[in-house]
Amino acid sequence: MDQTFSRDDTKLMKGAAIVLMLMHHLWGFPGRIAGGELWHVLNICGESSLTYFGSFGKICVSFFFFLGGYGVYLSTHSKRYDLIAKLKGLYLSYWKVFVIFIPLAFFFCAHQPTYCDEAEICTRYAEFSRQECFNNFVGFSTSYNSEWWFLNSYICALILYPVIDRIVRRHSTLFNIWAIIIGTILITNVFPAIGELEVLGTLNDNYLYHAFFLLSAPYTACFWMGAVFAKGNLLIQLQDALRRNNLLHPVLDVFFIGVIIQLRSRLTEQTPDMIYVPFLILFFLDLLRYMRPLRWLLLRIGKESTSMWLIHPFFCYYFYPVVKIVVAPRWGILCLLVLLALSYIAARLVRLFWQGIGSMMQRIQKPFLKLS
């Protein structure tokens, strides 16, 4: 990362975010795991190392929103923002997984034993209804896969982006940062309180109010912050400042990453993520310069990040035949590696399947195009 935050840097950070996401879901919720909590060696601050790092893993969502805001701003720097194209791309990625895995779920996982403490996970696909299927298909519901809640939140961020873009382009970095802070306070504290006022008809129950004014902070703030950083090339400026002060070094990278993990663990709130994420990006990227094999691996994972996000919960929680394979080693690290491998392979197979469908459709259409 010399002069710009490149596409490969983005893929690397998406790869890192996916690893954090899988850590969060596999290690952070022992009640959802077949056989209960996985084995670990260390305790940190009075809790298992798996729970400690699994809880931190939720910062993956803030990573994706920051990188999303950063990418959307750069992609619209010299052309008009096309909301329909953005939503189309997002939904196509979602549906490509949906139409494969949801039928598999109902055909093969409708009748499963109770294999974890949260019994509803085991019976998720016991009954089928067309209304529920439609609601999940369009993203109104996540009853088929609770970890797909991210879709709805990201759609809201994309819809709000024209407002964010207008503010980012018209005002200074300092103004935007203060606006993000104030906006986060409004979303997390003020709007929920206003929504409870009976004189206003309990707005919190209104779908549109809930969707746009009770956003999952700090995620929209991270999306906005990503656009602010893209506008001013602030990642490079921050990187240069760290280098001038000799603060980018493998040992210091590990130290500062550890400090951020501990801060986030102690503060428990997610609102400072918009500050943590840019620093974590720079420390991770600098550290990966000295870890070529891991860099190569994360780059490959990053290229399949969207499909891996959508697929991995089936292997972690919902598809008992695969869940048994994932948790078979019982040691947390080994189970994570198995989940990563299976999710990556499945994501690659999904990509190859739809590429094959696309090629077949082109061959079928070719004679008709010649006739016309």
Side-chain angles (χ1 to χ4, degrees), residues 55-256:
S55 298
F56 172 74
K58 192 171 183 179
I59 202 171
C60 65
V61 183
S62 300
F63 261 84
F64 279 116
F65 271 85
F66 180 91
L67 294 170
Y70 197 101
V72 170
Y73 181 89
L74 291 182
S75 68
T76 58
H77 185 65
S78 56
K79 62 180 181 180
R80 190 174 182 177
Y81 177 65
D82 189 342
L83 175 61
I84 301 301
K86 294 292 182 185
L87 292 177
K88 175 186 172 183
L90 183 61
Y91 266 112
L92 283 177
S93 297
Y94 174 65
W95 287 333
K96 283 176 181 178
V97 171
F98 187 100
V99 299
I100 294 173
F101 279 83
I102 297 306
L104 287 175
F106 280 99
F107 277 117
F108 298 107
C109 300
H111 306 289
Q112 303 185 117
T114 302
Y115 51 84
C116 65
D117 293 341
E118 297 186 21
E120 66 274 10
I121 283 178
C122 313
T123 59
R124 186 64 55 103
Y125 309 108
E127 295 183 9
F128 176 83
S129 81
R130 284 176 292 181
Q131 184 62 50
E132 185 182 25
C133 183
F134 174 79
N135 289 342
N136 278 269
F137 186 74
V138 297
F140 289 164
S141 172
T142 57
S143 61
Y144 284 170
N145 190 322
S146 299
E147 287 63 46
W148 285 355
W149 66 265
F150 180 93
L151 176 73
N152 215 349
S153 296
Y154 200 76
I155 288 171
C156 289
L158 290 176
I159 293 172
L160 287 172
Y161 181 75
V163 178
I164 293 172
D165 182 76
R166 194 176 186 88
I167 298 171
V168 170
R169 293 185 190 277
R170 290 192 171 193
H171 299 283
S172 68
T173 298
L174 185 60
F175 177 93
N176 273 277
I177 290 173
W178 275 109
I180 292 169
I181 293 170
I182 294 168
T184 301
I185 294 170
L186 290 172
I187 289 169
T188 55
N189 298 100
V190 178
F191 292 151
I194 293 173
E196 289 295 330
L197 296 175
E198 291 186 13
V199 69
L200 297 177
T202 57
L203 286 171
N204 287 348
D205 296 330
N206 182 280
Y207 178 81
L208 292 177
Y209 186 83
H210 189 275
F212 291 101
F213 291 94
L214 302 180
L215 301 173
S216 299
Y219 307 132
T220 303
C222 289
F223 191 84
W224 189 346
M225 186 67 84
V228 172
F229 266 69
K231 176 191 175 185
N233 207 19
L234 298 184
L235 278 174
I236 305 306
Q237 293 185 39
L238 182 58
Q239 181 195 49
D240 290 342
L242 292 171
R243 279 180 175 164
R244 284 196 306 271
N245 289 277
N246 299 315
L247 294 176
L248 288 180
H249 181 276
V251 175
L252 291 176
D253 294 336
V254 173
F255 172 75
F256 286 124

Side-chain angles (χ1 to χ4, degrees), residues 3 17 22 25 72 87 120 200 228 246 275 322 325 339 368:
Q3 299 300 324
L22 269 61
H25 290 146
V72 170
L87 292 177
E120 66 274 10
L200 297 177
V228 172
N246 299 315
I275 299 170
V322 185
I325 298 171
L339 181 59
F368 295 100

Side-chain angles (χ1 to χ4, degrees), residues 5 21 23 85 137 204 226 268 325-326 332 334 336:
F5 185 59
M21 181 179 287
M23 284 170 49
F137 186 74
N204 287 348
T268 66
I325 298 171
V326 171
L334 294 178
L336 177 65

